[in-house]
Coordinates of all heavy atoms in Angstrom, one line a residue:
T25 N -17.5 -3.8 11.2 CA -16.7 -4.6 12.1 C -17.3 -4.6 13.5 O -17.9 -3.6 13.9 CB -15.2 -4.1 12.2 OG1 -15.2 -2.8 12.7 CG2 -14.5 -4.2 10.8
T26 N -17.0 -5.6 14.3 CA -17.5 -5.6 15.7 C -16.5 -4.9 16.6 O -15.4 -4.6 16.2 CB -17.7 -7.1 16.2 OG1 -16.4 -7.7 16.3 CG2 -18.6 -7.8 15.2
A27 N -16.9 -4.7 17.8 CA -16.0 -4.0 18.8 C -14.7 -4.8 19.1 O -13.7 -4.2 19.4 CB -16.8 -3.7 20.1
H28 N -14.7 -6.1 18.9 CA -13.6 -6.9 19.2 C -12.8 -7.3 18.0 O -11.7 -7.9 18.1 CB -14.0 -8.2 19.9 CG -14.8 -7.9 21.1 ND1 -14.2 -7.3 22.2 CD2 -16.1 -8.1 21.4 CE1 -15.2 -7.2 23.2 NE2 -16.3 -7.6 22.7
E29 N -13.2 -6.9 16.8 CA -12.5 -7.3 15.6 C -11.4 -6.3 15.3 O -11.6 -5.1 15.2 CB -13.5 -7.4 14.4 CG -13.0 -7.9 13.1 CD -14.0 -8.0 12.0 OE1 -15.2 -7.8 12.3 OE2 -13.6 -8.2 10.9
V30 N -10.2 -6.8 15.0 CA -9.1 -6.0 14.7 C -8.8 -6.2 13.2 O -8.6 -7.4 12.7 CB -7.8 -6.4 15.5 CG1 -6.6 -5.6 15.0 CG2 -8.1 -6.1 17.0
L31 N -8.8 -5.1 12.4 CA -8.6 -5.2 11.0 C -7.1 -5.5 10.7 O -6.2 -5.1 11.5 CB -8.9 -3.9 10.4 CG -10.4 -3.4 10.5 CD1 -10.6 -2.0 10.0 CD2 -11.3 -4.4 9.9
R32 N -6.8 -6.2 9.7 CA -5.4 -6.4 9.3 C -5.2 -5.8 7.9 O -6.0 -6.0 7.0 CB -5.2 -7.9 9.1 CG -5.6 -8.7 10.4 CD -4.5 -9.6 10.9 NE -4.9 -10.3 12.1 CZ -4.7 -9.9 13.3 NH1 -4.3 -8.7 13.5 NH2 -5.1 -10.6 14.3
R33 N -4.2 -5.0 7.8 CA -3.9 -4.3 6.6 C -2.4 -4.5 6.1 O -1.5 -4.4 6.9 CB -4.1 -2.8 6.8 CG -5.6 -2.4 7.1 CD -6.4 -2.7 5.8 NE -7.8 -2.4 6.0 CZ -8.8 -3.3 6.0 NH1 -8.5 -4.5 5.9 NH2 -10.0 -2.9 6.2
E34 N -2.3 -4.8 4.9 CA -1.0 -4.9 4.3 C -0.7 -3.8 3.3 O -1.5 -2.9 3.2 CB -0.9 -6.3 3.5 CG -1.0 -7.5 4.5 CD -1.0 -8.8 3.8 OE1 -1.6 -8.9 2.7 OE2 -0.3 -9.7 4.3
I35 N 0.4 -3.8 2.7 CA 0.8 -2.8 1.7 C 0.2 -3.1 0.4 O 0.2 -4.2 -0.1 CB 2.4 -2.8 1.5 CG1 3.0 -2.5 2.9 CG2 2.8 -1.8 0.5 CD1 4.5 -2.8 2.9
F36 N -0.4 -2.1 -0.3 CA -1.1 -2.3 -1.6 C -0.1 -2.0 -2.6 O 0.4 -0.9 -2.7 CB -2.3 -1.4 -1.7 CG -3.1 -1.7 -2.9 CD1 -3.9 -2.8 -2.9 CD2 -3.2 -0.8 -4.0 CE1 -4.7 -3.1 -4.0 CE2 -3.9 -1.1 -5.1 CZ -4.7 -2.3 -5.1
L37 N 0.3 -3.0 -3.4 CA 1.3 -2.9 -4.4 C 1.0 -3.7 -5.6 O 0.7 -4.9 -5.5 CB 2.7 -3.3 -3.8 CG 3.9 -3.2 -4.6 CD1 4.2 -1.7 -4.9 CD2 5.1 -3.9 -3.9
S38 N 1.0 -3.1 -6.8 CA 0.7 -3.9 -8.0 C -0.7 -4.6 -8.0 O -0.8 -5.7 -8.3 CB 1.8 -4.9 -8.3 OG 3.0 -4.3 -8.6
D39 N -1.7 -3.8 -7.5 CA -3.1 -4.3 -7.5 C -3.3 -5.5 -6.5 O -4.2 -6.3 -6.7 CB -3.6 -4.7 -8.9 CG -3.7 -3.5 -9.8 OD1 -4.0 -2.4 -9.3 OD2 -3.4 -3.7 -11.0
Q40 N -2.4 -5.6 -5.5 CA -2.6 -6.6 -4.5 C -2.1 -6.2 -3.2 O -1.2 -5.3 -3.1 CB -2.0 -7.9 -4.9 CG -0.5 -7.9 -5.2 CD 0.1 -9.1 -5.7 OE1 -0.5 -10.2 -5.6 NE2 1.2 -9.1 -6.3
F41 N -2.6 -6.8 -2.1 CA -2.1 -6.5 -0.8 C -0.9 -7.5 -0.5 O -1.1 -8.7 -0.7 CB -3.2 -6.6 0.3 CG -4.1 -5.5 0.2 CD1 -5.3 -5.6 -0.5 CD2 -3.8 -4.3 0.8 CE1 -6.2 -4.5 -0.5 CE2 -4.7 -3.2 0.8 CZ -5.9 -3.3 0.1
V42 N 0.2 -7.0 0.0 CA 1.4 -7.8 0.3 C 1.9 -7.4 1.7 O 1.8 -6.2 2.1 CB 2.5 -7.6 -0.7 CG1 2.0 -8.2 -2.1 CG2 2.9 -6.2 -0.9
P43 N 2.5 -8.3 2.4 CA 3.0 -8.0 3.7 C 4.3 -7.2 3.5 O 4.9 -7.2 2.5 CB 3.3 -9.3 4.4 CG 3.5 -10.3 3.2 CD 2.6 -9.7 2.1
A44 N 4.7 -6.5 4.6 CA 6.0 -5.8 4.6 C 7.1 -6.9 4.4 O 6.9 -8.0 4.9 CB 6.2 -5.0 5.9
L45 N 8.2 -6.5 3.7 CA 9.2 -7.5 3.5 C 9.8 -8.0 4.9 O 10.2 -9.2 4.9 CB 10.3 -6.9 2.7 CG 10.0 -6.6 1.2 CD1 11.0 -5.8 0.5 CD2 9.7 -7.9 0.5
S46 N 9.8 -7.2 5.9 CA 10.3 -7.6 7.2 C 9.3 -8.5 7.9 O 9.7 -9.1 8.9 CB 10.6 -6.3 8.0 OG 9.4 -5.7 8.4
G47 N 8.1 -8.4 7.5 CA 7.0 -9.2 8.2 C 6.5 -8.4 9.4 O 5.6 -8.9 10.1
E48 N 7.1 -7.3 9.7 CA 6.7 -6.5 10.9 C 5.4 -5.8 10.7 O 5.0 -5.4 9.6 CB 7.8 -5.5 11.2 CG 9.1 -6.0 11.7 CD 10.0 -4.9 12.1 OE1 9.7 -4.1 13.0 OE2 11.1 -4.9 11.5
T49 N 4.7 -5.6 11.8 CA 3.4 -4.9 11.8 C 3.4 -3.9 13.0 O 4.3 -4.0 13.9 CB 2.2 -5.8 11.9 OG1 2.3 -6.5 13.1 CG2 2.1 -6.7 10.7
F50 N 2.4 -3.0 13.0 CA 2.2 -2.2 14.2 C 0.7 -2.1 14.5 O -0.1 -2.2 13.5 CB 2.9 -0.9 14.2 CG 2.4 0.1 13.1 CD1 1.5 1.0 13.4 CD2 2.9 0.0 11.8 CE1 1.0 1.9 12.5 CE2 2.4 0.8 10.8 CZ 1.5 1.8 11.2
T51 N 0.3 -1.8 15.7 CA -1.1 -1.7 16.0 C -1.5 -0.2 16.0 O -0.8 0.7 16.5 CB -1.3 -2.2 17.5 OG1 -0.9 -3.6 17.5 CG2 -2.8 -2.2 17.9
V52 N -2.7 0.0 15.4 CA -3.3 1.3 15.3 C -4.4 1.3 16.4 O -5.3 0.4 16.3 CB -3.9 1.7 13.9 CG1 -4.6 3.0 13.9 CG2 -2.7 1.6 12.9
L53 N -4.4 2.3 17.2 CA -5.4 2.3 18.3 C -6.6 3.2 17.9 O -6.4 4.3 17.2 CB -4.8 2.8 19.6 CG -3.7 2.0 20.2 CD1 -3.2 2.6 21.4 CD2 -4.2 0.5 20.4
N54 N -7.8 2.9 18.3 CA -9.0 3.7 18.1 C -8.8 4.9 19.1 O -8.7 4.7 20.3 CB -10.2 2.9 18.4 CG -11.5 3.7 18.3 OD1 -11.5 4.9 18.5 ND2 -12.6 3.1 18.0
P55 N -8.8 6.1 18.6 CA -8.5 7.3 19.6 C -9.7 7.5 20.5 O -9.5 8.1 21.6 CB -8.3 8.5 18.6 CG -9.0 8.1 17.4 CD -8.9 6.6 17.3
A56 N -10.8 7.0 20.2 CA -12.0 7.2 21.1 C -12.0 6.2 22.3 O -12.4 6.5 23.4 CB -13.3 7.1 20.3
T57 N -11.4 5.0 22.0 CA -11.5 4.0 23.1 C -10.1 3.5 23.5 O -10.0 2.7 24.5 CB -12.3 2.7 22.5 OG1 -11.5 2.2 21.4 CG2 -13.7 3.1 22.1
N58 N -9.1 3.9 22.8 CA -7.7 3.4 23.0 C -7.6 1.9 22.9 O -6.7 1.3 23.4 CB -7.2 3.9 24.4 CG -5.7 4.1 24.4 OD1 -5.2 4.4 23.4 ND2 -5.1 3.8 25.5
Q59 N -8.5 1.3 22.2 CA -8.5 -0.2 21.9 C -7.9 -0.4 20.5 O -8.0 0.4 19.6 CB -9.9 -0.7 21.9 CG -10.6 -0.6 23.3 CD -9.8 -1.4 24.4 OE1 -9.5 -2.6 24.2 NE2 -9.5 -0.8 25.5
P60 N -7.3 -1.6 20.3 CA -6.7 -1.9 19.0 C -7.8 -1.8 17.9 O -8.9 -2.3 18.1 CB -6.2 -3.3 19.1 CG -5.9 -3.5 20.6 CD -7.0 -2.6 21.3
L61 N -7.5 -1.1 16.8 CA -8.4 -1.0 15.7 C -7.9 -1.8 14.5 O -8.7 -2.4 13.8 CB -8.5 0.5 15.3 CG -9.4 0.9 14.2 CD1 -10.8 0.5 14.5 CD2 -9.3 2.3 13.9
A62 N -6.6 -1.7 14.3 CA -6.0 -2.4 13.1 C -4.6 -2.8 13.4 O -3.9 -2.2 14.2 CB -6.1 -1.5 11.9
E63 N -4.2 -3.9 12.7 CA -2.8 -4.3 12.7 C -2.3 -4.0 11.3 O -2.8 -4.5 10.3 CB -2.7 -5.8 13.0 CG -1.4 -6.3 13.3 CD -0.8 -5.8 14.7 OE1 -1.6 -5.4 15.6 OE2 0.4 -5.8 14.9
V64 N -1.3 -3.2 11.1 CA -0.9 -2.6 9.8 C 0.6 -3.0 9.5 O 1.4 -3.0 10.4 CB -1.0 -1.1 9.9 CG1 -0.6 -0.5 8.5 CG2 -2.4 -0.7 10.2
A65 N 0.9 -3.3 8.3 CA 2.2 -3.6 7.9 C 3.1 -2.4 8.1 O 2.8 -1.3 7.8 CB 2.2 -4.0 6.4
R66 N 4.3 -2.7 8.7 CA 5.3 -1.6 9.0 C 6.2 -1.6 7.8 O 7.2 -2.4 7.7 CB 6.0 -1.9 10.3 CG 7.0 -0.8 10.6 CD 7.8 -1.1 11.9 NE 7.0 -1.2 13.0 CZ 6.5 -0.2 13.8 NH1 6.9 1.0 13.5 NH2 5.8 -0.4 14.9
A67 N 6.0 -0.7 6.9 CA 6.8 -0.6 5.7 C 8.2 0.0 6.0 O 8.3 1.0 6.8 CB 6.1 0.3 4.6
G68 N 9.2 -0.5 5.5 CA 10.6 0.0 5.7 C 11.2 0.4 4.4 O 10.5 0.5 3.4
L69 N 12.4 0.8 4.4 CA 13.1 1.3 3.2 C 13.0 0.3 2.1 O 12.8 0.7 0.9 CB 14.6 1.6 3.6 CG 15.4 2.1 2.4 CD1 14.8 3.4 1.8 CD2 16.8 2.3 2.8
A70 N 13.2 -1.0 2.3 CA 13.1 -1.9 1.2 C 11.7 -2.0 0.6 O 11.6 -2.1 -0.6 CB 13.5 -3.3 1.8
D71 N 10.7 -1.7 1.4 CA 9.3 -1.7 0.9 C 9.1 -0.5 0.0 O 8.5 -0.5 -1.1 CB 8.3 -1.7 2.0 CG 8.3 -3.0 2.8 OD1 8.1 -4.0 2.2 OD2 8.7 -2.9 4.0
V72 N 9.7 0.7 0.4 CA 9.6 1.9 -0.4 C 10.3 1.7 -1.7 O 9.8 2.1 -2.7 CB 10.1 3.1 0.4 CG1 10.2 4.3 -0.4 CG2 9.3 3.4 1.7
E73 N 11.5 1.1 -1.6 CA 12.3 0.9 -2.9 C 11.5 0.0 -3.8 O 11.5 0.2 -5.0 CB 13.7 0.4 -2.5 CG 14.5 1.4 -1.9 CD 15.8 0.8 -1.3 OE1 16.0 -0.4 -1.1 OE2 16.7 1.6 -1.1
R74 N 10.9 -1.0 -3.2 CA 10.1 -2.0 -4.1 C 8.9 -1.2 -4.7 O 8.6 -1.4 -5.9 CB 9.6 -3.1 -3.2 CG 8.7 -4.1 -3.9 CD 8.3 -5.3 -3.0 NE 7.6 -4.9 -1.8 CZ 6.9 -5.8 -1.0 NH1 6.9 -7.0 -1.4 NH2 6.3 -5.4 0.0
A75 N 8.2 -0.4 -3.9 CA 7.1 0.4 -4.5 C 7.5 1.4 -5.6 O 6.9 1.5 -6.6 CB 6.4 1.2 -3.3
V76 N 8.7 2.0 -5.4 CA 9.2 3.0 -6.4 C 9.5 2.2 -7.7 O 9.2 2.6 -8.8 CB 10.4 3.8 -5.8 CG1 11.0 4.6 -6.9 CG2 9.9 4.7 -4.7
A77 N 10.2 1.1 -7.5 CA 10.6 0.3 -8.7 C 9.4 -0.2 -9.4 O 9.3 -0.2 -10.7 CB 11.5 -0.9 -8.3
T78 N 8.3 -0.6 -8.7 CA 7.1 -1.1 -9.3 C 6.4 0.1 -10.0 O 5.9 -0.1 -11.2 CB 6.2 -1.7 -8.2 OG1 6.8 -2.8 -7.6 CG2 4.8 -2.1 -8.8
A79 N 6.4 1.2 -9.4 CA 5.8 2.4 -10.1 C 6.5 2.8 -11.3 O 5.9 3.1 -12.4 CB 5.7 3.6 -9.1
R80 N 7.8 2.8 -11.3 CA 8.7 3.1 -12.4 C 8.4 2.1 -13.6 O 8.3 2.5 -14.7 CB 10.1 3.1 -12.0 CG 11.1 3.4 -13.1 CD 11.3 4.9 -13.3 NE 10.6 5.3 -14.5 CZ 10.4 6.6 -14.8 NH1 10.9 7.5 -14.1 NH2 9.8 6.9 -15.9
R81 N 8.4 0.8 -13.2 CA 8.1 -0.2 -14.2 C 6.7 0.0 -14.9 O 6.6 -0.1 -16.1 CB 8.2 -1.6 -13.6 CG 8.3 -2.7 -14.6 CD 8.7 -4.0 -13.9 NE 8.2 -4.3 -12.6 CZ 8.8 -4.2 -11.5 NH1 10.1 -3.8 -11.4 NH2 8.2 -4.5 -10.3
A82 N 5.7 0.3 -14.0 CA 4.4 0.5 -14.6 C 4.4 1.7 -15.5 O 3.7 1.7 -16.5 CB 3.4 0.7 -13.4
F83 N 5.1 2.8 -15.1 CA 5.1 3.9 -16.0 C 5.9 3.6 -17.3 O 5.4 4.0 -18.4 CB 5.8 5.1 -15.3 CG 5.9 6.3 -16.1 CD1 4.8 7.2 -16.2 CD2 7.1 6.6 -16.9 CE1 4.9 8.3 -17.0 CE2 7.1 7.7 -17.7 CZ 6.0 8.6 -17.8
D84 N 7.0 3.0 -17.2 CA 7.9 2.7 -18.4 C 7.2 1.7 -19.3 O 7.3 1.9 -20.6 CB 9.2 2.2 -18.0 CG 10.1 3.3 -17.3 OD1 9.8 4.5 -17.5 OD2 11.1 2.9 -16.7
E85 N 6.6 0.7 -18.8 CA 6.0 -0.4 -19.6 C 4.5 -0.2 -19.8 O 4.0 -1.0 -20.7 CB 6.3 -1.7 -18.9 CG 7.8 -2.0 -18.8 CD 8.1 -3.2 -17.9 OE1 7.2 -3.9 -17.6 OE2 9.3 -3.4 -17.6
G86 N 3.9 0.7 -19.1 CA 2.4 0.8 -19.3 C 2.1 1.8 -20.4 O 3.0 2.2 -21.2
P87 N 0.8 2.2 -20.5 CA 0.4 3.1 -21.5 C 0.8 4.6 -21.3 O 0.7 5.4 -22.2 CB -1.1 3.0 -21.5 CG -1.4 2.6 -20.1 CD -0.3 1.8 -19.6
W88 N 1.2 5.0 -20.1 CA 1.4 6.4 -19.8 C 2.4 7.2 -20.7 O 2.0 8.2 -21.1 CB 1.8 6.5 -18.3 CG 0.8 5.9 -17.4 CD1 1.0 4.7 -16.7 CD2 -0.6 6.3 -17.2 NE1 -0.2 4.4 -16.0 CE2 -1.1 5.3 -16.3 CE3 -1.3 7.3 -17.6 CZ2 -2.4 5.4 -15.9 CZ3 -2.6 7.4 -17.2 CH2 -3.2 6.4 -16.3
P89 N 3.6 6.7 -20.9 CA 4.5 7.5 -21.7 C 4.1 7.6 -23.2 O 4.6 8.5 -23.9 CB 5.8 6.7 -21.6 CG 5.5 5.4 -21.2 CD 4.2 5.4 -20.5
R90 N 3.2 6.8 -23.7 CA 2.7 6.9 -25.1 C 1.5 7.7 -25.3 O 1.0 7.9 -26.4 CB 2.5 5.5 -25.6 CG 3.8 4.7 -25.7 CD 3.7 3.3 -26.2 NE 2.9 2.4 -25.3 CZ 3.4 1.9 -24.2 NH1 4.6 2.2 -23.8 NH2 2.6 1.1 -23.5
R91 N 0.9 8.2 -24.2 CA -0.3 9.0 -24.3 C -0.1 10.4 -24.6 O 0.9 11.0 -24.1 CB -1.1 8.9 -23.0 CG -1.6 7.5 -22.7 CD -2.5 7.6 -21.5 NE -3.8 7.1 -21.9 CZ -4.8 7.0 -21.0 NH1 -4.6 7.3 -19.8 NH2 -6.0 6.6 -21.4
A92 N -1.0 11.0 -25.3 CA -0.8 12.5 -25.6 C -1.1 13.2 -24.3 O -1.9 12.7 -23.4 CB -1.8 12.9 -26.7
T93 N -0.5 14.3 -24.1 CA -0.6 15.1 -22.8 C -2.1 15.3 -22.5 O -2.5 15.2 -21.3 CB 0.1 16.4 -22.9 OG1 1.5 16.1 -23.2 CG2 0.1 17.2 -21.6
W94 N -2.9 15.7 -23.4 CA -4.3 16.1 -23.1 C -5.2 14.9 -22.7 O -6.2 15.1 -22.2 CB -4.9 16.8 -24.3 CG -4.9 16.0 -25.6 CD1 -5.9 15.1 -26.0 CD2 -3.9 15.9 -26.6 NE1 -5.5 14.5 -27.2 CE2 -4.4 15.0 -27.6 CE3 -2.7 16.6 -26.8 CZ2 -3.6 14.7 -28.7 CZ3 -2.0 16.3 -27.9 CH2 -2.4 15.4 -28.8
T95 N -4.7 13.7 -22.9 CA -5.5 12.5 -22.5 C -5.1 12.0 -21.1 O -5.7 11.1 -20.6 CB -5.4 11.4 -23.5 OG1 -4.0 10.9 -23.5 CG2 -5.8 11.8 -24.8
T96 N -4.1 12.6 -20.5 CA -3.6 12.1 -19.2 C -4.2 12.8 -18.0 O -3.9 12.5 -16.9 CB -2.1 12.1 -19.1 OG1 -1.6 13.5 -19.2 CG2 -1.4 11.2 -20.1
T97 N -5.0 13.8 -18.3 CA -5.6 14.6 -17.2 C -7.0 14.3 -17.0 O -7.7 13.8 -17.8 CB -5.4 16.1 -17.4 OG1 -5.9 16.5 -18.6 CG2 -3.9 16.5 -17.3

């Protein structure tokens, strides 16, 4: 990235990047220059609940519960 380029980061959920449900973001500053480095999605409680539900669904419907213990490590 260049000195003037500000990265944009969303929440990674279900193999894709998605914005926070609120649409809110916050700026991360470069500690060496105090200049904006990235604009990041501000996850809230609803985003956490969405992530937990997605993880639960992936566990329940995915291959994990059917695997033998010795194959999951």
